[in-house]
Amino acid sequence: MERGKMAELESLETAAEHERILREIESTDTACIGPTLRSVYDGEEHGRFMEKLEARIRNHDREIEKMCNFHYQGFVDSITELLKVRGEAQKLKNQVTDTNRKLQNEGKELIIAMEELKQCRLQQRNISATVDKLTLCLPVLEMYSKLREQMKSKRHYPALKTLEHLEHTYLPQVSHYRFCKIMVDNIPKLREEIKEVSMSDLKDFLESIRKHSDKIGETAMKQAQQQRNLDNIVSQHPRISGGKKSKKEVCASSDLEVPGAQDLVDFSPVYRCLHIYSVLGARETFENYYRKQRRKQARLVLQPPSNMHETLDGYRKYFNQIVGFFVVEDHILHTTQGLVNRAYIDELWEMALSKTIAALRTHSSYCSDPSLVLDLKNLIVLFADTLQGYGFPVNQLFDMLLEIQDQYSETLLKKWTGVFRNILDSDNYSPIPVTNEEMYKKIVGQFPFQDAELEKQPFPKKFPFSEFVPKVYNQIKEFIYACLKFSEDLHLSSTEVDDMIRKSTNLLLTRTLSNCLQNVIKRKNVGLTELVQIIINTTHLEKSCKFLEEFITNITNVLPETVHTTKLYGTTTFKDARHAAEEEIYTNLNQKIDQFLQLADYDWMAMEPGSKASDYLVDLIGFLRSTFAVFTHLPGDVDVHSTMSGKVAQTACMSACKHLSTSLMQLLLEAEVRQLTLGALQQFNLDVEECEQFARSGPVPGFQGDTLQLAFIDLRQLLDLFIQWDWSTYLADYGQPTCKYLRVNPTTALVLLEKISRVMRDTSRKNNVFAQFRKNERDKQKLIDTVAKQLRSLINSHHS
């Protein structure tokens, strides 16, 4: 029972649950129906639920059917109306379809025309757009074409300008086109190409000016030379019609037009390259490259050829290249803005100056031809004047020319050494004969000589000097002219020129001419006559020095009284030469005397003297007489004659007599002559008497009293002492001013006494075998011993 109740309760709960679910299904959105249905299937009564669901469906169907039955008539009416509308709609459809067909047929042509119009409109828009784009592109293409044409014709700077316009003005407007991008990518390459081509042109230019520097310099130096000539013409041209010719007129009349150095070279590559690099922002690179290359060229130009000193053309080519180099740089300096600057030019010029001066010092030192040195000086002056005209300082070149002046002076001195040597060697050392007035005036015109006495003499007559006097005088003047030539155009003052000429002339006189005269005087074959003529000649040349002073004054306009004016030393030169000639006369006479004395052959053991003087001495005296006779027949004016007689002749004669006396004394006292007899001494006395007779005969006028005889006084007193055997007087009066034998030296007397003593001893031994002396011989020997002892005492007391 309970079980039935329980089943009934469960059935009621299930039915209530199913009712709830059905309500939820009816009221719930179909999207959320899933959980509801799941609750059905979760239970075990889904079959009953299905039954209940079917019952609910049937219930709802009945309700629908009731509702439909209630509204059916209205539905039927609506259907009837709808069917009527359907027919009308079909008619309308047919009409619309027919109308559409007619419209389609009618609009087909219009559609075709519209399509054509649409296509035309599209083409029109495309053409318009194309024209607009081409309007933008054509200038770019034209500009690019122009660029290629400019590069092809090597107009690089315009090409660079075109490239700049193309890049900054035209290409930005059409940058989206592919061809423009190609152009943009190509622009750096074009710039680099322009740089390379312009640099290649610059290299060609540098090579060209290196080759043409010689011609450029030659032209510039010609201009400088013609400018100098023009200045001279203008300054020297006389006034015509109240005025001077203008410089331009003189230039035109003289045909001095010369193309400028800049006309020989096309500088446009430099300008173009400079502009190009400036535009490209690489100006500094270009400047550095240009200066570096030109420095290299400068070093090459400044390197002189090894044989430059051999010819003037070698120097000229060297100078032309240097001038050409700096003319180009000066032109670049003044026609460009900063490619080169003054500091750079000054640096190059300083280097050029030092190297040029060093080269000239070296090469000029090799030159031995004064003409070449003078031509070189003129070339250096022109070189300096040319560069000075371009603003380069050239003082160092003129200072160096003063050094070359010393070299020039040396070459002149060497040349004049040969000139003087030829004159002196070719001279006959005889007075110049003249047979008529014309010849006389010719000589007087060549040499400043005046002598009233000689002028009064009839022709033929002779000048006192030989030909080398006027020749030497004129060569000295030629030398002065040669010195003057070097001083021209050196911008020296008259005082400096005068000083330079005087110093060089002094060297000519004191060194060159002096040495030549000394060499002539010292020659072995020169005779007494030649030496005497040299003395006369040098006396006249010495007098001519004042005329040389006047000659220099006339050409330099500097008075000798000017402060610091150098004096000529010619008088000293000619005096020295004259003294050397005099000494040579004395030396030659003495040598001749020595030659005669070598013939002396005395028998020192002779017991008896001969009856006359020795033959060698007679010949010697005869030589001396004839020799001094030359001095008494000297040609020329009174002054010269008296000078020769009064000084040279007297001195020569006195020197000869003294030398003869000394030589005879040496013969007598020779150590080899150990023994000497009184007979030999008496023969020797005859020879001395011959000498004294020569001295008394007055071989040379002008000696006072027995002055010449005094040359033999030593011999005379010595011989008198021994021949007269006057020892008591000698010993008693020795040391007193009035002593008879004042000139006899006790040492000399002792030597001679010992030689005589040896002879007596040997004779006594031969005559007395038992060594017994005869009384007078023993007494004489004792006397000799006593005298010898006293002489030694005198000698010892004198030494003490």
Side-chain angles (χ1 to χ4, degrees):
M1 190 73 176
E2 289 179 1
R3 181 180 292 180
K5 288 181 177 181
M6 290 181 66
E8 184 177 357
L9 287 174
E10 290 178 0
S11 175
L12 290 173
E13 290 177 359
T14 302
E17 179 64 23
H18 286 172
E19 187 64 28
R20 185 187 63 80
I21 292 172
L22 287 173
R23 283 197 301 271
E24 285 184 1
I25 292 172
E26 289 173 352
S27 61
T28 303
D29 189 6
T30 56
C32 299
I33 201 169
T36 304
L37 293 176
R38 181 177 294 280
S39 63
V40 174
Y41 285 97
D42 287 343
E44 297 179 356
E45 300 293 335
H46 57 278
R48 293 177 67 186
F49 177 76
M50 289 301 294
E51 291 175 357
K52 198 161 187 167
L53 179 61
E54 286 292 333
R56 181 63 63 88
I57 291 171
R58 286 191 299 269
N59 187 32
H60 281 296
D61 284 341
R62 283 192 297 272
E63 289 179 0
I64 292 170
E65 186 177 355
K66 287 178 181 179
M67 187 177 289
C68 285
N69 288 332
F70 179 79
H71 294 288
Y72 180 74
Q73 187 58 44
F75 175 72
V76 172
D77 292 340
S78 296
I79 291 299
T80 302
E81 289 295 326
L82 186 60
L83 289 173
K84 290 180 180 180
V85 172
R86 180 178 179 184
E88 293 298 326
Q90 186 63 40
K91 289 179 182 180
L92 182 60
K93 177 181 178 184
N94 292 335
Q95 289 178 356
V96 170
T97 301
D98 186 54
T99 302
N100 180 59
R101 186 178 63 254
K102 290 180 180 179
L103 182 62
Q104 290 295 330
N105 290 334
E106 292 295 331
K108 186 177 287 186
E109 292 181 2
L110 180 60
I111 289 172
I112 293 172
M114 290 299 293
E115 283 294 331
E116 290 178 354
L117 179 60
K118 176 184 175 183
Q119 194 65 33
C120 286
R121 292 289 186 186
L122 180 61
Q123 289 177 354
Q124 187 179 22
R125 285 195 304 270
N126 289 342
I127 290 172
S128 178
T130 302
V131 169
D132 291 341
K133 299 301 180 183
L134 286 175
T135 302
L136 290 175
C137 292
L138 277 176
V140 176
L141 296 173
E142 289 174 354
M143 204 57 119
Y144 192 79
S145 175
K146 180 181 178 182
L147 171 65
R148 300 306 300 184
E149 186 64 31
Q150 287 171 336
M151 292 184 66
K152 184 178 179 181
S153 60
K154 296 185 177 181
R155 297 166 58 211
H156 302 122
Y157 181 65
L160 200 61
K161 287 294 185 184
T162 302
L163 187 63
E164 184 178 0
H165 288 306
L166 185 65
E167 181 181 22
H168 296 99
T169 305
Y170 293 94
L171 283 176
Q173 299 176 8
V174 290
S175 59
H176 55 282
Y177 293 112
R178 189 164 58 88
F179 78 90
C180 293
K181 187 176 184 307
I182 295 173
M183 287 184 183
V184 170
D185 294 340
N186 204 31
I187 283 176
K189 297 179 182 178
L190 292 173
R191 279 203 177 94
E192 196 60 35
E193 182 180 346
I194 291 173
K195 282 179 67 176
E196 291 177 357
V197 173
S198 61
M199 182 58 73
S200 176
D201 289 347
L202 176 66
K203 291 178 180 177
D204 293 342
F205 167 79
L206 292 173
E207 180 65 22
S208 173
I209 59 173
R210 187 185 68 82
K211 292 179 179 178
H212 290 87
S213 285
D214 189 5
K215 186 64 176 177
I216 296 170
E218 180 183 0
T219 302
M221 291 180 73
K222 280 183 180 179
Q223 289 177 327
Q225 179 65 58
Q226 294 183 353
Q227 183 63 46
R228 184 196 296 173
N229 296 341
L230 179 61
D231 292 339
N232 292 337
I233 293 172
V234 171
S235 62
Q236 297 174 7
H237 204 282
R239 291 185 177 272
I240 299 175
S241 302
K244 287 186 177 180
K245 278 189 176 183
S246 69
K247 194 171 186 178
K248 184 175 181 181
E249 290 173 339
V250 176
C251 181
S253 64
S254 304
D255 191 22
L256 297 179
E257 293 293 339
V258 175
Q262 64 274 9
D263 298 331
L264 300 175
V265 177
D266 178 16
F267 287 90
S268 57
V270 180
Y271 307 144
R272 287 197 302 268
C273 201
L274 176 62
H275 290 318
I276 288 168
Y277 273 74
S278 297
V279 171
L280 295 175
R283 181 186 177 101
E284 185 176 353
T285 301
F286 175 77
E287 290 176 359
N288 292 337
Y289 176 82
Y290 178 85
R291 295 180 187 185
K292 180 180 179 182
Q293 295 303 315
R294 289 296 278 164
R295 281 192 183 95
K296 288 181 180 178
Q297 290 187 352
R299 292 187 182 94
L300 291 176
V301 164
L302 294 170
Q303 186 64 37
S306 58
N307 61 341
M308 183 174 73
H309 59 275
E310 295 177 359
T311 63
L312 190 65
D313 285 338
Y315 289 104
R316 184 177 288 111
K317 185 174 182 180
Y318 180 61
F319 289 145
N320 286 344
Q321 289 178 342
I322 296 174
V323 170
F325 179 90
F326 282 100
V327 167
V328 169
E329 290 308 288
D330 181 76
H331 187 76
I332 293 292
L333 174 68
H334 290 92
T335 56
T336 62
Q337 294 181 348
L339 175 55
V340 297
N341 53 32
R342 179 52 63 184
Y344 159 82
I345 295 289
D346 291 344
E347 176 193 348
L348 282 181
W349 178 239
E350 283 299 321
M351 177 183 72
L353 263 184
S354 62
K355 289 185 177 293
T356 302
I357 290 173
L360 290 175
R361 280 174 177 158
T362 300
H363 285 268
S364 65
S365 64
Y366 298 141
C367 185
S368 58
D369 181 6
S371 298
L372 180 57
V373 178
L374 183 61
D375 290 339
L376 173 59
K377 164 256 169 182
N378 292 329
L379 194 58
I380 293 173
V381 170
L382 179 58
F383 171 70
D385 287 347
T386 303
L387 287 168
Q388 191 174 37
Y390 285 90
F392 295 98
V394 294
N395 289 339
Q396 292 184 48
L397 285 171
F398 284 101
D399 292 341
M400 187 268 301
L401 279 173
L402 296 181
E403 298 177 20
I404 293 184
Q405 190 273 331
D406 295 334
Q407 169 70 14
Y408 177 69
S409 180
E410 287 298 320
T411 59
L412 286 182
L413 293 175
K414 289 180 181 179
K415 177 181 178 180
W416 257 260
T417 297
V419 170
F420 287 145
R421 187 179 292 125
N422 291 334
I423 291 174
L424 296 177
D425 289 346
S426 61
D427 195 61
N428 58 10
Y429 294 94
S430 299
I432 301 175
V434 286
T435 56
N436 53 52
E437 186 69 23
E438 183 180 355
M439 291 179 63
Y440 185 88
K441 289 182 178 180
K442 181 181 178 182
I443 300 298
V444 173
Q446 293 174 347
F447 183 74
F449 174 78
Q450 290 181 345
D451 181 11
E453 293 297 325
L454 185 61
E455 288 180 5
K456 293 177 183 178
Q457 293 178 13
F459 292 101
K461 51 189 174 182
K462 293 181 179 181
F463 285 97
F465 45 80
S466 66
E467 288 186 353
F468 94 58
V469 170
K471 288 181 178 179
V472 166
Y473 181 81
N474 281 301
Q475 284 302 320
I476 295 172
K477 291 172 67 176
E478 288 297 322
F479 179 87
I480 293 171
Y481 277 127
C483 292
L484 180 65
K485 286 181 180 178
F486 194 91
S487 66
E488 293 173 353
D489 301 319
L490 292 187
H491 312 302
L492 299 175
S493 66
S494 298
T495 304
E496 289 173 320
V497 173
D498 183 86
D499 185 64
M500 184 181 74
I501 291 176
R502 289 175 183 273
K503 286 181 178 178
S504 297
T505 306
N506 276 334
L507 284 176
L508 178 75
L509 295 173
T510 60
R511 195 172 78 186
T512 304
L513 180 56
S514 178
N515 289 340
C516 290
L517 289 171
Q518 295 291 340
N519 290 336
V520 170
I521 291 169
K522 298 296 181 182
R523 277 196 309 220
K524 292 183 178 179
N525 60 344
V526 65
L528 181 65
T529 305
E530 287 85 352
L531 290 171
V532 171
Q533 189 64 58
I534 288 173
I535 293 172
I536 297 171
N537 289 353
T538 52
T539 302
H540 284 284
L541 285 172
E542 180 183 344
K543 290 183 176 182
S544 72
C545 285
K546 64 179 181 180
F547 296 100
L548 291 175
E549 291 268 9
E550 293 175 1
F551 177 71
I552 295 175
T553 299
N554 290 335
I555 64 177
T556 63
N557 295 320
V558 178
L559 298 176
E561 297 79 14
T562 305
V563 180
H564 303 309
T565 299
T566 304
K567 300 297 182 183
L568 289 183
Y569 302 140
T571 54
T572 304
T573 295
F574 299 124
K575 282 180 180 178
D576 291 343
R578 185 164 64 254
H579 293 158
E582 293 170 1
E583 290 296 329
E584 194 66 19
I585 289 175
Y586 309 150
T587 301
N588 286 354
L589 281 174
N590 292 345
Q591 289 175 349
K592 199 68 177 177
I593 291 171
D594 291 340
Q595 291 175 5
F596 279 102
L597 288 173
Q598 288 176 1
L599 301 175
D601 186 20
Y602 286 103
D603 180 8
W604 299 113
M605 300 301 292
M607 301 308 294
E608 296 295 334
S611 58
K612 61 179 181 176
S614 302
D615 292 339
Y616 87 90
L617 191 69
V618 173
D619 295 339
L620 171 57
I621 297 300
F623 164 74
L624 292 177
R625 288 186 188 280
S626 62
T627 295
F628 291 116
V630 173
F631 289 94
T632 62
H633 298 88
L634 295 178
D637 58 17
V638 177
D639 291 338
V640 174
H641 187 279
S642 63
T643 299
M644 295 299 100
S645 299
K647 294 183 179 179
V648 180
Q650 292 175 13
T651 305
C653 188
M654 177 60 74
S655 172
C657 289
K658 285 183 176 180
H659 183 71
L660 177 57
S661 175
T662 303
S663 299
L664 289 172
M665 181 70 79
Q666 289 175 348
L667 279 176
L668 197 61
L669 300 178
E670 271 186 356
E672 295 179 358
V673 181
R674 293 184 55 78
Q675 296 179 337
L676 187 147
T677 64
L678 289 174
L681 200 62
Q682 289 171 349
Q683 177 62 47
F684 194 83
N685 184 57
L686 291 175
D687 293 345
V688 173
E689 287 177 348
E690 185 73 17
C691 295
E692 290 172 326
Q693 175 59 34
F694 168 74
R696 283 193 299 272
S697 66
V700 172
F703 284 110
Q704 297 294 326
D706 57 353
T707 302
L708 192 58
Q709 290 176 258
L710 293 177
F712 300 97
I713 189 64
D714 291 1
L715 272 175
R716 172 48 49 213
Q717 290 187 7
L718 180 64
L719 290 173
D720 285 349
L721 173 61
F722 276 87
I723 291 173
Q724 297 174 14
W725 208 252
D726 195 8
W727 293 105
S728 57
T729 303
Y730 177 77
L731 294 172
D733 297 342
Y734 181 78
Q736 296 180 12
T738 57
C739 177
K740 180 181 179 181
Y741 304 102
L742 182 64
R743 308 287 297 183
V744 177
N745 187 290
T747 303
T748 303
L750 179 60
V751 171
L752 195 59
L753 184 63
E754 287 178 343
K755 291 184 178 186
I756 294 173
S757 175
R758 292 190 190 100
V759 173
M760 295 183 66
R761 287 195 179 94
D762 288 349
T763 303
S764 297
R765 283 197 294 271
K766 291 177 182 178
N767 294 337
N768 297 281
V769 178
F770 301 102
Q772 294 179 349
F773 294 98
R774 290 193 293 270
K775 185 178 184 302
N776 60 338
E777 291 176 347
R778 288 198 302 271
D779 293 342
K780 195 169 186 179
Q781 186 63 47
K782 287 180 180 179
L783 177 60
I784 289 174
D785 292 341
T786 302
V787 170
K789 184 177 181 181
Q790 290 177 328
L791 288 173
R792 290 189 187 96
S793 177
L794 289 176
I795 294 170
N796 291 332
S797 63
H798 177 70
H799 286 167
S800 62

